[in-house]
């Protein structure tokens, strides 16, 4: 009888141990399945070429897993309902803050890249205009046009980099207006110089013509046809 009771006790103990092993094996299996599922998700995300999409999905998965792990703790009765609700609230708040920061950082990085790309375009354009100014140093009209284009390009680039800095923008606009005025004044001065040179050339022509007709008149009065012919030839050879 005693032997039978002992065997029954040993059998019950063995059954309990086997039950624990079965439960443990089930938990391990579920964990392995979850780990495998998450590894596959991570690989799929890592293969996304677009950086923003890849990073956004990775962050979304992270938040979903944190909530999933927390819910499992509650389902396994490792935390109380009251504590669970509080932890979910705090987790949602944290995840929202992380998402907001991610979006803000992305927009900032995108803006900085766009500005850098535009600055590169401006620098290339300005270098090309400077080369054209040098090449057309003797052609005032083309040179002045390129100087205006260069000033306008430099003005737009400075405005781009100033962004929303009102004081800096006002200073940039004032300097631009002064530079345009100086370029236009150079053109005005050059035109005045051309007009003056043209006026002098006309006066010189008038004086030469008057002198020629005066000498012809003197030759005519002297009645010398030969002298008149020589004088005409002399004037033509000038």
């Amino acid at each position: 009888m005693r032997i039978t009771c002992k065997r029954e006790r040993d059998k019950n103990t063995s059954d309990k141990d086997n039950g624990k092993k079965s439960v443990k094996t089930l938990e391990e299996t579920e964990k392995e399945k979850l780990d495998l599922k998450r590894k596959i998700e991570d690989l799929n995300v890592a293969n996304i070429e677009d950086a923003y999409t890849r990073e956004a999905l990775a962050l979304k998965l992270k938040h979903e897993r944190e909530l999933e792990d927390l819910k499992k703790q509650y389902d396994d009765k490792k935390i109380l309902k009251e504590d669970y609700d509080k932890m979910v609230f705090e987790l949602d708040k944290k995840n929202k803050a992380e998402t907001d920061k991610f979006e803000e950082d992305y927009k900032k990085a995108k803006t900085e890249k766009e500005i850098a790309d535009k600055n590169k375009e401006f620098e290339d354009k300005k270098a090309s205009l400077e080369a054209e100014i040098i090449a057309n140093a003797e052609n005032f009209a083309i040179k002045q046009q390129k100087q205006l284009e260069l000033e306008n390009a430099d003005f737009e680039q400075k405005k781009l980099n100033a962004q929303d800095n009102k004081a800096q923008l006002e200073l940039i606009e004032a300097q631009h207006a002064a530079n345009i005025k100086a370029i236009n004044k150079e053109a005005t001065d050059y035109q005045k110089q051309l007009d003056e040179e043209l006026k002098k050339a006309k006066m010189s022509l008038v004086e030469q013509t008057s002198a020629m007709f005066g000498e012809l008149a003197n030759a005519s009065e002297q009645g010398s046809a030969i002298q008149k012919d020589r004088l005409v030839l002399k004037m033509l050879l000038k």
Side-chain angles (χ1 to χ4, degrees):
M1 183 68 177
R2 289 180 180 176
I3 294 174
T4 302
C5 290
K6 185 176 183 302
R7 285 177 178 175
E8 288 179 354
R9 284 197 302 269
D10 290 344
K11 183 177 182 300
N12 291 336
T13 302
S14 176
D15 290 342
K16 287 180 181 178
D17 291 341
N18 289 335
K20 288 180 180 178
K21 288 179 180 179
S22 297
V23 172
K24 185 177 181 181
T25 302
L26 180 61
E27 289 178 353
E28 288 176 347
T29 302
E30 291 300 321
K31 184 178 184 306
E32 288 174 358
K33 286 181 179 179
L34 181 62
D35 289 344
L36 179 60
K37 174 178 173 290
R38 290 182 175 182
K39 284 180 180 178
I40 293 172
E41 289 174 342
D42 291 339
L43 285 173
N44 288 334
V45 170
N47 286 327
I48 296 174
E49 292 186 6
D50 182 69
Y52 170 76
T53 304
R54 183 176 62 250
E55 293 173 17
L57 282 177
L59 184 62
K60 183 174 181 290
L61 277 177
K62 172 179 174 291
H63 293 164
E64 288 176 351
R65 291 171 182 177
E66 288 173 346
L67 184 60
E68 186 179 355
D69 292 342
L70 185 59
K71 186 176 185 304
K72 187 176 187 309
Q73 290 185 57
Y74 173 70
D75 291 340
D76 292 343
K77 302 188 183 306
K78 293 180 179 180
I79 54 178
L80 298 173
K81 179 71 165 63
E82 182 181 351
D83 293 334
Y84 171 72
D85 291 341
K86 183 178 179 181
M87 292 171 74
V88 168
F89 176 78
E90 293 297 328
L91 183 61
D92 287 342
K93 187 166 68 171
K94 177 188 78 70
N95 289 347
K96 184 180 184 306
E98 288 182 353
T99 301
D100 291 344
K101 185 178 185 303
F102 169 77
E103 293 293 343
E104 183 180 345
D105 290 346
Y106 173 76
K107 288 179 181 177
K108 181 180 178 182
K110 183 180 178 183
T111 300
E112 289 176 351
K113 185 180 183 306
E114 288 174 349
I115 291 176
D117 290 343
K118 287 181 180 178
N119 269 315
K120 177 68 169 56
E121 291 177 7
F122 276 123
E123 291 300 329
D124 291 344
K125 182 177 181 180
K126 286 163 61 177
S128 176
L129 287 169
E130 287 171 352
E132 290 187 68
I133 289 171
I134 294 172
N136 292 280
E138 302 301 322
N139 189 323
F140 183 83
I142 295 178
K143 185 180 77 171
Q144 192 212 20
Q145 179 60 38
K146 297 305 174 183
Q147 285 176 329
L148 286 171
E149 291 179 20
L150 177 61
E151 172 57 32
N152 287 329
D154 188 59
F155 172 58
E156 293 299 330
Q157 183 181 16
K158 287 177 179 176
K159 282 200 305 180
L160 171 70
N161 292 318
Q163 294 294 302
D164 297 324
N165 189 322
K166 186 177 179 181
Q168 191 174 356
L169 283 171
E170 289 177 352
L171 180 62
I172 290 170
E173 288 174 356
Q175 184 62 56
H176 174 62
N179 291 343
I180 292 294
K181 184 177 180 180
I183 294 173
N184 289 334
K185 183 179 183 303
E186 183 181 1
T188 302
D189 292 344
Y190 180 74
Q191 187 59 50
K192 286 181 179 178
Q193 179 183 343
L194 289 179
D195 293 342
E196 185 65 26
E197 290 176 356
L198 180 60
K199 182 180 178 181
K200 289 181 178 178
K202 287 180 178 180
M203 290 180 64
S204 176
L205 180 61
V206 169
E207 291 174 354
Q208 290 180 14
T209 303
S210 297
M212 182 182 69
F213 281 111
E215 292 183 17
L216 286 173
N218 290 334
S220 177
E221 290 176 358
Q222 294 174 4
S224 174
I226 295 175
Q227 186 177 1
K228 184 185 295 184
D229 292 339
R230 288 178 179 175
L231 184 58
V232 170
L233 180 60
K234 178 181 176 183
M235 293 299 177
L236 290 174
L237 291 175
K238 286 184 179 181

